[in-house]
Amino acid sequence: CESWPDPGVIAFRRTSISGDLTLNFTLTGTAKRDIDYTVPAGSTVTIADGAREAWLSFAPVKDTLAEGAETIILTLKPGAGYTIPSVKAQQAITLSMANGTTKPGVKAAVRFLGQAAFGPSADSYDGGIIPDNAQLIMSYGFDAWIEMQFRTAPKLHQPALEAMARLRQDVYWDAKLRSWWANAIGPSATDPLRQRVAFALSEIFVISDQVDSIANQPRGMANYYDMLVLGAFGNARDLLLNVSLHPCMGAYLNHLKNRKADPDAGTFPDENYAREIMQLFSIGLWMLNPDGTKMLDAEGDEIPSYDNATITSFARVFTGLSFGGLKGKEFWWPPEDWTHPMRVWDEYHDMDPKTLLNGVVLPARTASVPDKGTAGLTDIRAAVDCLFNHPNIGPFLSKQLIQRLVTSNPTPAYVGRVSAKFANNGKGVRGDMKAVIRAILLDPEARDPAQLSSTTFGKMKEPYLRTVGLARAFNARAASGVYDLGPLGELHFQQPYSSPSVFNFFRPGYSPAGPISDAGLVAPEFQILNDISAFSVPNYYYSVMRDGFNRWGHEKASWVVRPQLVLEKALYNDVPALMRRLDLVLTGGTLHPAQHQVIREAVEAINSTYWDWKNERIYMAIYLISALPEYGIQR
């Protein structure tokens, strides 16, 4: 396609590998050489000594003419040292060229799905190689697809756990993962953009079942996750307030039942949440320019965004909170309600004035009578507003969302454009998450196909999301509708709801030693890549096509999450066609011809002398591609 720089490639193959072999060809068709496309000069190609293949690349030339579909026909001609195959399809081949268009082509659509969703899905309608969800994007266009996702009803997580409870089934800690997987890959997973953004938010506003107080509250944690699902397309101010008032966050970062200082007893408010709401959830450690770069003082030093006195003041704000809900009738021993916001008790809230940030001073408050927590909640809302209106929050959150969705090292200009949408969505609204998401995904830096060849653009796919993408690529399904995939964390070194700390599975500024660090770049996801995880995930992929995505299979056959490989298995005897299909759905059509050759030959070597050889060809092809960097790195 003239709007996509990826070249078309024709492979020349021979049976022997001895000596150089020069092949003759002619080029015809409606497309004109050096006008519509470029190709190395001449009309010959040489397969080098020791090689079985050579490749010829045809790069489209972009223009503004409406020429319609054009063709390039390469015909093999006689020459010395070889015989032309008698099979007509091996004598000539046709490449098709499409006009540039405002609608995305297939490779652009597949690439977009890696950023805006959990990856492309298999084709289940027409038997072609184009994934179903890619066809939708090709039809709608990027912007219209995003708008359609904004209008799609959210798939929530807690209802599935409540349904289990109504059926008197045990709702253990890992039950929350069943709904997570169902909403990521199940047949009803219709809101992938919202779910993908919610997962990114869960790695910013972190809670974790590694803390005992919420480990056995799966419904409460699912409720917290649903808050992120709903907030993904809402306003950042509401999201920050809801995070602050959720009992799971209150238990995780210690402001649940946090009370005002008692000088006589020598007690003071816990400062944990006060610190993290600033450092991790809103403004970060350092003052930022609108493009996310750090401000410097006159001496060239970084400027802290807050100090210990600020932490103390915010800690005083988050006092008096306890469990809410209809039964939340007292501060100390109310029933534990994990699915409703905490409520404030003015009796235990610090009513004195508080100096926050950027000149914001909260006045002394008067306790409500009867005690409804009105004064304390007013303080909390004002503190959240203080952070929401801080100049740092736009660039701070924008950059992290770009890192989670698109690329680890966005340029300052990219961050600045998204941050500007955070500040004003174009209609005078600050913090509009829809505007931020649209800006991230439609930014020229995200959509430019030239970034595919950049050495600084992109990111390592998180191991867990790599597995989700593999399951989606083949429409993996459990016949029962139960996605019992809980015990995968130890293979992937990550799992939703299970971060080892409030700092997530990896830090956004992590830079592995070596070329990446030397270049001043970061690669956050590489923090969970080590000698074990580098092998545990590919080893797991070796088995999932045969045995399903469950860690050790499953005692209930209907609970095994199996890939749907009907269309792939129909290509067992046409490995080149199989490779084209897998290349598109797994790597976005980015495999180098040499990789095609190596994998194709390995797969074709599995023949009738092997048990179950037809299926093994499919399994091996998928395994080898899924183990490649082209699958593990998102461009």
Side-chain angles (χ1 to χ4, degrees):
C1 176
E2 292 181 2
S3 60
W4 188 257
D6 193 30
V9 178
I10 293 177
F12 298 81
R13 296 173 183 154
R14 62 176 176 176
T15 54
S16 69
I17 61 171
S18 177
D20 291 344
L21 179 63
T22 299
L23 307 174
N24 302 314
F25 62 83
T26 59
L27 293 175
T28 55
T30 57
K32 297 178 176 57
R33 188 172 186 169
D34 296 327
I35 296 177
D36 298 309
Y37 67 91
T38 61
V39 67
S43 56
T44 64
V45 63
T46 299
I47 304 177
D49 181 29
R52 272 186 292 272
E53 289 192 9
W55 309 287
L56 199 60
S57 294
F58 296 78
V61 175
K62 187 174 182 179
D63 58 41
T64 59
L65 301 176
E67 302 162 301
E70 298 175 290
T71 60
I72 305 169
I73 303 173
L74 184 147
T75 304
L76 193 61
K77 308 303 291 185
Y82 63 91
T83 302
I84 298 176
S86 59
V87 180
K88 188 174 182 179
Q90 296 176 348
Q91 298 172 4
I93 191 168
T94 301
L95 297 177
S96 296
M97 289 189 64
N99 267 341
T101 174
T102 57
K103 294 289 182 67
V106 58
K107 290 185 178 182
V110 168
R111 179 171 179 252
F112 178 78
L113 285 165
Q115 300 169 345
F118 292 112
S121 59
D123 184 275
S124 59
Y125 297 126
D126 55 19
I129 69 171
I130 300 178
D132 290 340
N133 50 1
Q135 289 179 319
L136 194 64
I137 290 172
M138 293 167 67
S139 173
Y140 277 82
F142 297 129
D143 189 72
W145 182 87
I146 291 173
E147 187 59 38
M148 180 182 68
Q149 285 290 296
F150 287 161
R151 296 195 304 268
T152 300
K155 298 296 182 181
L156 300 180
H157 296 242
Q158 185 186 348
L161 279 68
E162 299 299 344
M164 292 176 63
R166 287 194 298 271
L167 295 172
R168 298 186 177 181
Q169 298 174 354
D170 293 325
V171 184
Y172 293 122
W173 71 272
D174 60 346
K176 59 187 181 291
L177 289 169
R178 295 183 188 179
S179 56
W180 192 93
W181 275 95
N183 289 343
I185 69 170
S188 61
T190 55
D191 62 337
L193 176 59
R194 184 188 289 270
Q195 298 294 332
R196 183 68 186 84
V197 174
F199 182 72
L201 292 173
S202 77
E203 295 186 326
I204 298 172
F205 303 103
V206 175
I207 63 171
S208 174
D209 58 16
Q210 300 298 303
V211 171
D212 290 342
S213 58
I214 57 175
N216 292 318
Q217 304 299 333
R219 279 182 278 183
M221 294 193 74
N223 179 272
Y224 180 88
Y225 202 97
D226 283 341
M227 177 191 64
L228 302 180
V229 169
L230 295 170
F233 294 167
N235 190 281
R237 188 264 181 191
D238 299 330
L239 182 61
L240 190 58
L241 178 63
N242 292 336
V243 165
S244 300
L245 294 178
H246 200 283
C248 285
M249 180 59 80
Y252 185 61
L253 290 182
N254 309 122
H255 60 296
L256 174 65
K257 297 187 180 179
N258 195 25
R259 60 193 176 98
K260 63 184 177 182
D262 184 344
D264 294 336
T267 61
F268 300 91
D270 188 285
E271 297 182 348
N272 203 9
Y273 187 71
R275 181 183 303 105
E276 307 308 357
I277 191 176
M278 292 188 287
Q279 179 180 348
L280 301 178
F281 301 166
S282 60
I283 64 173
L285 290 170
W286 310 102
M287 291 300 298
L288 302 175
N289 295 304
D291 63 4
T293 57
K294 293 178 182 177
M295 288 185 181
L296 302 178
D297 61 19
E299 286 72 41
D301 296 324
E302 298 165 341
I303 306 169
S305 58
Y306 60 88
D307 56 21
N308 284 334
T310 314
I311 295 172
T312 299
S313 292
F314 271 89
R316 292 169 54 208
V317 168
F318 293 104
T319 53
L321 287 160
S322 188
F323 287 106
L326 293 177
K327 296 181 180 180
K329 303 297 186 182
E330 62 163 319
F331 179 81
W332 284 114
W333 307 113
E336 294 186 357
D337 187 332
W338 295 96
T339 61
H340 289 89
M342 295 182 287
R343 63 153 293 180
V344 184
W345 292 89
D346 286 345
E347 179 183 355
Y348 299 96
H349 178 74
D350 188 324
M351 296 290 180
D352 292 335
K354 305 167 188 72
T355 300
L356 302 183
L357 289 165
N358 291 353
V360 174
V361 177
L362 305 186
R365 306 290 184 188
T366 301
S368 57
V369 180
D371 192 343
K372 295 184 178 180
T374 305
L377 187 58
T378 300
D379 263 0
I380 292 173
R381 290 180 180 277
V384 168
D385 286 341
C386 173
L387 295 174
F388 175 68
N389 289 303
H390 193 284
N392 268 24
I393 191 171
F396 182 79
L397 290 180
S398 295
K399 183 173 182 178
Q400 288 203 61
L401 285 170
I402 294 170
Q403 287 184 305
R404 298 284 63 75
L405 299 175
V406 178
T407 181
S408 296
N409 295 279
T411 64
Y414 186 2
V415 175
R417 290 188 291 269
V418 177
S419 177
K421 287 295 182 182
F422 184 99
N424 185 340
N425 68 351
K427 298 179 180 179
V429 177
R430 180 176 177 82
D432 179 2
M433 292 295 291
K434 289 181 180 178
V436 170
I437 293 162
R438 191 190 300 274
I440 290 172
L441 296 175
L442 298 183
D443 191 86
E445 198 166 321
R447 298 274 55 84
D448 186 359
Q451 298 285 13
L452 288 166
S453 59
S454 170
T455 58
T456 61
F457 185 86
K459 61 194 288 288
M460 188 182 92
K461 294 179 186 176
E462 297 174 45
Y464 211 81
L465 295 188
R466 205 184 318 162
T467 295
V468 175
L470 191 67
R472 280 202 64 90
F474 304 105
N475 290 346
R477 297 286 185 267
S480 64
V482 178
Y483 291 81
D484 191 24
L485 298 169
L488 297 180
E490 63 188 43
L491 290 175
H492 297 79
F493 284 66
Q494 69 170 155
Q495 187 159 269
Y497 301 102
S498 295
S499 170
S501 78
V502 71
F503 296 97
N504 189 28
F505 304 99
F506 41 80
R507 294 182 289 104
Y510 176 76
S511 182
I516 293 176
S517 179
D518 293 344
L521 303 173
V522 299
E525 293 82 0
F526 276 79
Q527 194 167 5
I528 52 175
L529 178 69
N530 55 41
D531 292 347
I532 299 174
S533 62
F535 289 97
S536 63
V537 175
N539 287 347
Y540 165 68
Y541 291 164
Y542 185 80
S543 65
V544 295
M545 294 299 137
R546 300 167 177 81
D547 306 322
F549 283 82
N550 310 72
R551 176 70 194 281
W552 299 287
H554 206 285
E555 59 185 16
K556 299 178 182 179
S558 65
W559 286 26
V560 177
V561 182
R562 297 189 181 280
Q564 309 299 302
L565 299 172
V566 175
L567 296 176
E568 284 76 20
K569 289 181 178 181
L571 298 174
Y572 77 91
N573 213 25
D574 188 354
V575 178
L578 172 66
M579 288 292 299
R580 290 193 294 273
R581 181 182 181 85
L582 298 181
D583 180 16
L584 183 60
V585 76
L586 293 179
T587 59
T590 62
L591 286 188
H592 189 274
Q595 292 168 319
H596 269 276
Q597 178 189 355
V598 171
I599 296 175
R600 176 183 59 81
E601 291 180 354
V603 171
E604 288 177 339
I606 302 173
N607 52 41
S608 58
T609 62
Y610 290 79
W611 180 82
D612 198 25
W613 68 278
K614 296 178 182 179
N615 286 332
E616 286 297 324
R617 279 189 165 189
I618 309 304
Y619 303 151
M620 182 58 69
I622 294 171
Y623 165 68
L624 291 176
I625 294 177
S626 67
L628 289 172
E630 283 75 7
Y631 181 66
I633 301 295
Q634 173 184 300
R635 292 285 193 179

